[in-house]
Amino acid sequence: MSSETQQDKQVESAVEAGRQRRGGLHRLDVSATVGRPVVKLVLGVTLTFLMLPVFVTLIASFGTTWTGTLPRGFVNLENWRTVLGLAEGPGVRDGVITGLGYSAGLATAGMLVNIVVGVPIAYSLVRYDFFAKDIVNTLAILPIVPGVVLAVAFLRMYPEQGGSTLGLIVGYALLKSPFMILTVQSSLQSMNLQRVEESARSLGASWTRTFLTVIVPNARSGIVAGCIITWTLAAAEFNFTYMVHSAGPRPFSLFLYQNISRAPVLQGAAAVSVYFLIVTAVILILQTTGKAGFTTVERK
Amino acid sequence: MARDTAGGTGTESTRTGVGARLAAVRALLSPRTEAERERRRVAVMSLPYFVLAIFGAFLPLGMLARMSLSENQFRNEGFSLDAWETLATEPVYREIAWNTLWFATVTTTFSVLVAVALSHALAKYDLPFRRWIVAMVSFPIALPGIVVGFMIVVLLGRTGLLTNAVAFFTGGSRIDLATALTVGGLFLGYAFSLIPRATMVLRGTFEEINTDAEEAARALGASPLLTFYHVTLPQVWPGVVAAFVLTFRTALAIFGTVLVLPALNVATLRINLEIQDLGFNLAVASAMGLVYFVFIFGFTFAGVRLIDNESLKI
């Protein structure tokens, strides 16, 4: 009710502001004719800015040289052969397969940790009121520590394990947990949790059974989307990995960094394109689960 | 029923501190009422997260604080304020703090402004392939900072597309025209990461607008600009603030992009420098990391007080 009167006032002030300029001044307000095209132009320019380098990279990875305005010498698969480890390349020790396999394993483990950690806390935050709920909520849905600071802390706290497989899994799980918690929260918010829970309880199910066999299956779409997003983000996590990694198999993001910083630009393009293909596949999967992209906003 | 026990705990808290705490522990371990059972459920459900947070974040951060006071770079020994003194007195650190803050503020403001236009268009206009536009705008969220840096090199580096195009038309030297490694190039790198995040936050807010008021204002003769300023903007303002808070945090934490395009000495780059290139300066790096963490933490909680939790979406 109060928001309605507030909106009436907003409408009044907009109309009033328009009337006051009824004289010569209001002719200067050309938003009726220009507004929409200008906003569309901003959208167009931004989309071009975001997507042009992605497509150019993908195309350039099949080129031979890039000394003129555009890459030339298509179609050349040599960059891809180097990146995939089928040929020797400058500046890079081995192909993408081992690093990607290792990172996929780390990301999967981190994702499983996130299911165990994220689903229950998302549920208790949506369903219950409790002491310091707002603080817990803020802690849980925002990354507590930036990756670089977490890395310095890990180097000190776990000098032996910081850069190990276990250290990386814990780091990834913590850094990416907000994405799981938020997606699960938004899918739980669309259910009447109290009614569902009470129905199951009154039919004789224990609380644990209710949670595992009624609530969790109903939140499936949010959990799946959260898994996909946290997995993808962890698979290419760089800031934390770069600082803590010292020995053992080299994660995918460090392979990317080597190709970006030390290899010829076209080989870097091929390496980056590998990740583009993964992200594109992930977005296609997300679209089939009802999300438009890497967003935790539920589709209306 | 729940109200009764809430009153009960009120009287319990007037007992001695130890007694009340014992009663609370007893209630968690063997709950007698439904309210106590509910409290136990909340505790059990939050437990995994807090185990992860304690071992993954809180204990390491405590160690970070201890390390910044250590006399030895490799072990925690003795007590020394050297690292903090270095941080407070050497002018380079003041410059880093200033760089980090102004650059994050400028890039965040720019990105949020663009994001307002983008989410307005996505929510109000009849756009073709709307779903694909959303997918394309959210695509960069998945890219790590180093890849974003590479994107800017592809556009504006020495062999970059735009550099070459400009060089072709003006006849200038490609090396002089390359702007990827300037502050301008870094600005675009930050914008590449931040615009998508800000847009995703604002899109949720724009979806919830009541369009009746806008239509009424337009029907009564207000121009689109006045309608936006007087009717739309007040409704989306909490989302704009939330987008600013989240985007500013992200801007402060960017590392990969600035590692590939080192045009400006910001805090993350310096922390890396202290550890990798300037020797193993763990004490100074720890002190910097701690200041950095405390600032982000304080900023977030201050920011969250301005907005309701509903607007906090990534």
Side-chain angles (χ1 to χ4, degrees):
Chain A
M1 192 65 198
S2 66
S3 78
E4 264 175 38
T5 45
Q6 206 184 335
Q7 277 170 11
D8 287 346
K9 273 197 196 121
Q10 288 167 358
V11 171
E12 266 168 39
S13 60
V15 174
E16 188 53 34
R19 253 189 221 127
Q20 280 170 4
R21 293 181 206 171
R22 271 279 174 256
L25 252 179
H26 101 107
R27 279 165 212 284
L28 289 178
D29 186 353
V30 287
S31 61
T33 44
V34 177
R36 203 164 269 233
V38 166
V39 173
K40 279 190 177 168
L41 184 71
V42 172
L43 177 68
V45 169
T46 312
L47 275 181
T48 313
F49 167 59
L50 296 178
M51 284 297 119
L52 183 68
V54 173
F55 288 120
V56 170
T57 303
L58 204 55
I59 294 167
S61 68
F62 293 104
T64 313
T65 58
W66 193 354
T67 46
T69 308
L70 295 169
R72 273 172 302 166
F74 292 104
V75 171
N76 171 23
L77 294 177
E78 208 46 45
N79 299 312
W80 279 85
R81 284 169 51 84
T82 311
V83 163
L84 294 174
L86 303 171
E88 285 286 308
V92 178
R93 269 181 295 161
D94 45 23
V96 70
I97 304 298
T98 41
L100 196 55
Y102 182 51
S103 280
L106 294 174
T108 308
M111 179 189 92
L112 294 175
V113 173
N114 267 328
I115 296 176
V116 175
V117 162
V119 178
I121 198 167
Y123 177 75
S124 59
L125 283 167
V126 175
R127 171 71 176 81
Y128 299 117
D129 263 325
F130 51 91
F131 175 70
K133 178 180 167 174
D134 280 353
I135 294 174
V136 173
N137 194 36
T138 309
L139 268 184
I141 63 176
L142 295 171
I144 307 177
V145 200
V148 175
V149 177
L150 188 69
V152 178
F154 260 56
L155 282 176
R156 204 57 243 162
M157 183 76 194
Y158 310 112
E160 304 294 321
Q161 281 85 36
S164 71
T165 304
L166 182 67
L168 288 171
I169 291 171
V170 172
Y172 291 170
L174 190 78
L175 288 169
K176 306 305 172 198
S177 61
F179 290 90
M180 174 68 85
I181 296 172
L182 274 169
T183 42
V184 176
Q185 269 186 344
S186 68
S187 84
L188 287 175
Q189 268 154 2
S190 61
M191 296 159 56
N192 187 342
L193 287 175
Q194 189 161 359
R195 191 192 290 170
V196 170
E197 200 184 299
E198 278 167 6
S199 308
R201 294 299 305 279
S202 68
L203 290 170
S206 71
W207 187 84
T208 325
R209 192 184 157 91
T210 306
F211 179 72
L212 291 177
T213 62
V214 181
I215 306 289
V216 170
N218 271 299
R220 198 179 54 234
S221 73
I223 298 174
V224 169
C227 283
I228 296 169
I229 294 174
T230 52
W231 188 91
T232 317
L233 294 178
E237 206 290 331
F238 174 75
N239 299 1
F240 176 74
T241 318
Y242 178 71
M243 303 273 287
V244 296
H245 186 263
S246 52
R250 213 157 37 112
F252 174 59
S253 57
L254 299 185
F255 170 83
L256 278 182
Y257 181 61
Q258 272 215 323
N259 275 283
I260 286 171
S261 62
R262 273 176 228 152
V265 69
L266 293 182
Q267 190 185 315
V272 169
S273 297
V274 172
Y275 184 61
F276 285 163
L277 295 182
I278 297 174
V279 177
T280 309
V282 163
I283 284 187
L284 289 174
I285 299 170
L286 280 172
Q287 297 238 333
T288 60
T289 65
K291 301 254 166 203
F294 279 82
T295 166
T296 55
V297 178
E298 194 87 338
R299 191 162 61 111
K300 291 270 150 48
Chain B
M1 176 118 175
R3 294 283 151 271
D4 288 350
T5 38
T9 47
T11 45
E12 271 174 26
S13 65
T14 55
R15 282 191 226 154
T16 57
V18 182
R21 239 170 273 152
L22 274 179
V25 170
R26 196 270 312 151
L28 271 187
L29 291 178
S30 62
R32 285 184 202 140
T33 63
E34 185 58 26
E36 284 176 358
R37 257 177 241 126
E38 190 175 302
R39 225 167 289 147
R40 181 173 69 167
R41 268 171 223 151
V42 171
V44 169
M45 304 275 267
S46 313
L47 192 67
Y49 178 80
F50 278 99
V51 169
L52 180 68
I54 287 167
F55 286 99
F58 299 145
L59 284 180
L61 283 169
M63 187 60 96
L64 204 66
R66 173 69 189 92
M67 188 59 210
S68 70
L69 297 169
S70 168
E71 279 172 2
N72 190 312
Q73 291 289 357
F74 300 97
R75 276 186 309 274
N76 288 334
E77 272 181 357
F79 178 84
S80 145
L81 285 172
D82 285 355
W84 290 100
E85 205 184 313
T86 312
L87 214 57
T89 52
E90 283 197 23
V92 65
Y93 294 103
R94 234 165 298 150
E95 189 194 319
I96 288 165
W98 166 240
N99 283 345
T100 311
L101 288 176
W102 81 256
F103 201 62
T105 311
V106 170
T107 48
T108 303
T109 311
F110 174 76
S111 304
V112 171
L113 286 177
V114 174
V116 169
L118 258 55
S119 4
H120 187 82
L122 283 169
K124 309 263 172 232
Y125 300 173
D126 203 11
L127 298 167
F129 311 111
R130 193 170 160 279
R131 215 166 149 68
W132 284 104
I133 295 176
V134 173
M136 283 195 281
V137 174
S138 83
F139 183 88
I141 294 178
L143 303 183
I146 42 168
V147 173
V148 173
F150 187 75
M151 296 293 94
I152 300 302
V153 171
V154 164
L155 279 184
L156 299 167
R158 285 183 183 181
T159 57
L161 190 71
L162 296 184
T163 314
N164 278 314
V166 173
F168 179 79
F169 286 115
T170 62
S173 155
R174 289 194 282 134
I175 291 171
D176 296 337
L177 287 168
T179 48
L181 294 176
T182 63
V183 174
L186 188 64
F187 178 88
L188 289 179
Y190 271 53
F192 195 97
S193 307
L194 301 180
I195 290 173
R197 288 181 169 81
T199 309
M200 288 308 128
V201 176
L202 280 166
R203 217 167 63 79
T205 321
F206 268 88
E207 299 260 315
E208 284 160 16
I209 295 183
N210 175 0
T211 50
D212 296 351
E214 287 174 348
E215 279 164 19
R218 292 283 287 127
L220 292 170
S223 73
L225 186 67
L226 290 174
T227 309
F228 178 78
Y229 183 75
H230 288 281
V231 184
T232 314
L233 201 56
Q235 288 192 59
V236 297
W237 191 247
V240 173
V241 177
F244 191 91
V245 172
L246 289 174
T247 313
F248 189 73
R249 282 176 50 99
T250 312
L252 288 178
I254 287 179
F255 169 59
T257 312
V258 72
L259 190 68
V260 176
L261 313 169
L264 198 67
N265 202 355
V266 296
T268 45
L269 196 62
R270 182 66 185 200
I271 291 177
N272 176 52
L273 203 68
E274 299 282 353
I275 289 184
Q276 313 255 3
D277 299 329
L278 298 177
F280 203 57
N281 286 342
L282 257 187
V284 175
S286 300
M288 276 189 80
L290 204 63
V291 171
Y292 193 58
F293 166 74
V294 169
F295 180 79
I296 289 193
F297 198 76
F299 173 81
T300 307
F301 272 89
V304 166
R305 293 202 168 271
L306 297 174
I307 47 187
D308 62 322
N309 270 323
E310 283 301 293
S311 316
L312 284 179
K313 296 227 165 74
I314 297 175

